[in-house]
Amino acid sequence: MVNNEEIKASHASTAKVKKKRGFLFWASLTVMIAALIALGIIGFGYLEGCMMYRDISDDAFDDGNLNLADMKVDWDALLKINPETVAWVYIPGTPVNYPVVHTTDNEKYLHTNFRGYTSYVSYGAIFMDCNNKHDLSDQNIVTYGHNMNDGSMYAVFRQMKDSNVFNQNRNIYFLTPKGNYRLKSFSLCHVNAEEKIIQTNFGTEANKVKYITDKINRCIVDVDGQIPDPAAMTKIFTFSTCDNTDRNYRDMCFAYVAESTVDGVPGLE
């Protein structure tokens, strides 16, 4: 026969199991609710960032005309919002349609958007390397943008690891107060973040040719058509974004000047 002590012990054990299960249920529910709140905040941050940049592009740039000399940006409006504005970058058929800013470091605009705000979702802004001159007179103009999960900012350069995507989006428009550029990408490289790959000027013609040739040789996609002689590229542009699957690497797209309205910078097409 089962005595009273055994019955009490059994009831106590059952109560402990129920209590533990109840704790696990509420703990799991709390974690799930917290995760849903975090996802909601992230989703709202993405929406807010997209709407902000869309509104800016609607007000400052008309993307309906691809005649380089006629492409206009409302520089006064942009400079009123952010005095550190130096350019506009646009790739037809992609989300890339943004103002470009420039300051004294490469940290500020990782977390600060074009209007000067930060949020839980770090949209940041497209920014030019702090070692570039503000007047864009360097031989290599380098810009950075986040690889956002919704495909915005510079995520397209990550997507260009597919050769078809790369070749379909080789024309890049880079507009400045001094004139406009139509760029054409010639290489996409996957590089270690620790590699000292950024050079804004090359010093000698031989160094420039060596640098550009190295990027052509390291290209990870099949590029359609002929690439101009590196010696003919008087100015190049570099577009860099992070590899979200491995934070130790960057995807970097290199482009030459195909067409230009800027004095002293010839186009190669």
Side-chain angles (χ1 to χ4, degrees):
M1 295 181 64
V2 179
N3 59 39
N4 289 336
E5 293 300 323
E6 289 175 333
I7 293 173
K8 289 179 180 179
S10 176
H11 287 169
S13 177
T14 300
K16 286 181 180 180
V17 170
K18 289 181 177 179
K19 185 176 181 180
K20 184 176 181 181
R21 286 176 178 171
F23 172 79
L24 290 174
F25 170 78
W26 288 110
S28 298
L29 183 62
T30 301
V31 170
M32 183 178 71
I33 292 172
L36 289 172
I37 291 172
L39 286 173
I41 292 172
I42 292 171
F44 177 77
Y46 273 96
L47 178 62
E48 184 180 44
C50 282
M51 290 178 65
M52 181 200 69
Y53 281 113
R54 185 187 64 191
D55 290 344
I56 290 171
S57 65
D58 287 346
D59 292 339
F61 174 61
D62 180 3
D63 60 1
N65 184 357
L66 295 183
N67 181 8
L68 193 66
D70 296 331
M71 297 178 77
K72 305 294 183 184
V73 174
D74 189 341
W75 299 113
D76 290 338
L78 292 176
L79 288 165
K80 189 176 293 185
I81 299 171
N82 190 324
E84 294 181 324
T85 304
V86 292
W88 189 279
V89 61
Y90 171 58
I91 305 178
T94 80
V96 178
N97 191 19
Y98 301 109
V100 181
V101 289
H102 181 238
T103 190
T104 55
D105 64 72
N106 287 339
E107 298 295 325
K108 175 181 176 180
Y109 285 108
L110 288 173
H111 310 288
T112 303
N113 67 28
F114 183 74
R115 290 191 180 274
Y117 302 122
T118 59
S119 67
Y120 182 79
V121 177
S122 183
Y123 242 80
I126 305 300
F127 64 95
M128 190 166 70
D129 193 281
C130 63
N131 293 306
N132 276 125
K133 297 183 182 67
H134 201 73
D135 63 0
L136 287 84
S137 60
D138 300 295
Q139 291 175 293
N140 183 14
I141 304 301
V142 182
T143 61
Y144 306 92
H146 285 307
N147 173 14
M148 301 299 285
N149 290 328
D150 64 350
S152 61
M153 302 304 280
Y154 271 5
V156 69
F157 293 110
R158 172 68 176 159
Q159 298 162 9
M160 285 183 184
K161 295 179 83 169
D162 180 326
S163 295
N164 289 327
V165 176
F166 180 89
N167 287 306
Q168 288 167 7
N169 298 285
R170 291 184 65 189
N171 284 315
I172 303 170
Y173 293 86
F174 203 87
L175 315 177
T176 80
K178 289 187 173 182
N180 301 333
Y181 301 93
R182 178 175 64 84
L183 313 174
K184 197 160 189 177
S185 56
F186 63 85
S187 178
L188 183 74
C189 297
H190 191 58
V191 304
N192 192 294
E194 300 300 319
E195 182 179 350
K196 305 299 183 183
I197 195 172
I198 299 300
Q199 293 184 40
T200 56
N201 288 290
F202 306 111
T204 67
E205 179 67 14
N207 286 342
K208 182 198 75 174
V209 170
K210 181 180 179 181
Y211 183 90
I212 295 173
T213 301
D214 174 68
K215 305 309 168 285
I216 293 172
N217 291 339
R218 293 171 59 181
C219 182
I220 61 173
V221 295
D222 297 322
V223 182
D224 289 344
Q226 287 287 107
I227 296 173
D229 185 342
M233 299 182 195
T234 57
K235 190 182 192 74
I236 65 171
F237 287 71
T238 301
F239 303 89
S240 177
T241 195
C242 57
D243 179 348
N244 286 348
T245 59
D246 189 338
R247 294 289 181 172
N248 294 318
Y249 282 85
R250 302 286 183 268
D251 291 303
M252 303 182 75
C253 180
F254 299 87
Y256 62 85
V257 179
E259 187 181 359
S260 169
T261 67
V262 180
D263 290 342
V265 184
L268 301 181
E269 293 183 1

